[in-house]
Amino acid sequence: GDHRDLHSFPTRRSSDLNGYREDYLAAFFPMIPLLIRFFGGYGLLVINQICFFISMVLLKKIMENEYKSKNTVTVLFIFSFSPVAYFSLICYTESIFFFLTLWAFYLFMKNKYPWLMGIFIGLSVFTRNTGSIVFFAIFAGMVIRWIRKENKLRDIILAYVPATLISVLYPIYLQIHFGSWKIFVDIQYSRWLKVRSNVFSTFLTGIKMIFTDTYKFDIYTLTLFRINEILTILICGFLIYQIGRAHV
């Protein structure tokens, strides 16, 4: 089902195990629905928290060791308490996707364990369709390294055999289940892109979220949404102030 329904946490009832019942749900890639199926909504929350924490540790290591950054603590603090981090607290893909892509790029930077990097790449595609950008970006980087003789053709094969096999699992399932392997693309244009929005309507929605309960969320979800909206408005105000200050 639609894992973005936050009105209640999914459980492992038999009714939740029916898979993609409607074609519009094909827009959501299967990693999160599968985790909910086997671990439940609260299990996914725990997994998200673990992935986010490990990502912060890895990001700290990358900034200190690879880029010799002197502002690591400040960056991690801002990131950990920003609206971006908010999505790691609920049943969304952001935390796991960040974890997978960060590890993939880290292994690419270190030029080690290509097979493990390939698994991370494939799982990132299995989590979100934007994982395909990671797939091709790292592939291009590995080809350039191969041309420069910084790695071997074997490394590309070791990485992209598992990456490709995992990446095509979902299109194969869609072909069998719906008769079209690219329905996740078609549904974006036929349904989801019709949902129109702009910065002003989004701002008004955020204000309504803070002061009302328009969507009748449970108290846990409503509190998280309100915290996120307040942080978003404060950070946007801070950025506008800094831009104006810099201009002056």
Side-chain angles (χ1 to χ4, degrees), residues 56-98:
M56 291 298 96
V57 174
L58 180 59
L59 187 59
K60 180 176 184 293
K61 181 177 181 180
I62 292 174
M63 293 180 65
E64 290 179 345
N65 296 345
E66 305 299 329
Y67 296 105
K68 310 300 180 184
S69 174
K70 298 180 180 179
N71 301 311
T72 302
V73 175
T74 303
V75 172
L76 293 179
F77 180 84
I78 293 174
F79 190 87
S80 297
F81 291 94
S82 71
V84 175
Y86 157 78
F87 290 101
S88 70
L89 299 173
I90 52 181
C91 297
Y92 275 31
T93 60
E94 276 74 4
S95 183
I96 294 176
F97 185 72
F98 180 56

Side-chain angles (χ1 to χ4, degrees), residues 173-244:
Y173 167 82
L174 293 177
Q175 182 66 41
I176 296 172
H177 191 66
F178 292 109
S180 173
W181 65 270
K182 63 181 182 66
I183 191 172
F184 68 92
V185 176
D186 298 334
I187 207 66
Q188 293 284 354
Y189 290 96
S190 63
R191 181 183 176 98
W192 294 105
L193 290 183
K194 291 183 179 181
V195 180
R196 299 186 180 278
S197 182
N198 56 62
V199 65
F200 301 106
S201 64
T202 301
F203 177 77
L204 291 176
T205 300
I207 295 295
K208 290 179 181 179
M209 185 67 68
I210 294 174
F211 295 103
T212 66
D213 187 9
T214 306
Y215 300 99
K216 305 300 180 183
F217 288 126
D218 61 85
I219 187 63
Y220 172 84
T221 304
L222 181 61
T223 301
L224 289 179
F225 266 113
R226 283 176 173 170
I227 292 172
N228 178 65
E229 296 303 333
I230 292 171
L231 286 172
T232 301
I233 292 173
L234 289 175
I235 290 176
C236 286
F238 175 74
L239 291 175
I240 292 172
Y241 165 75
Q242 291 290 355
I243 292 172

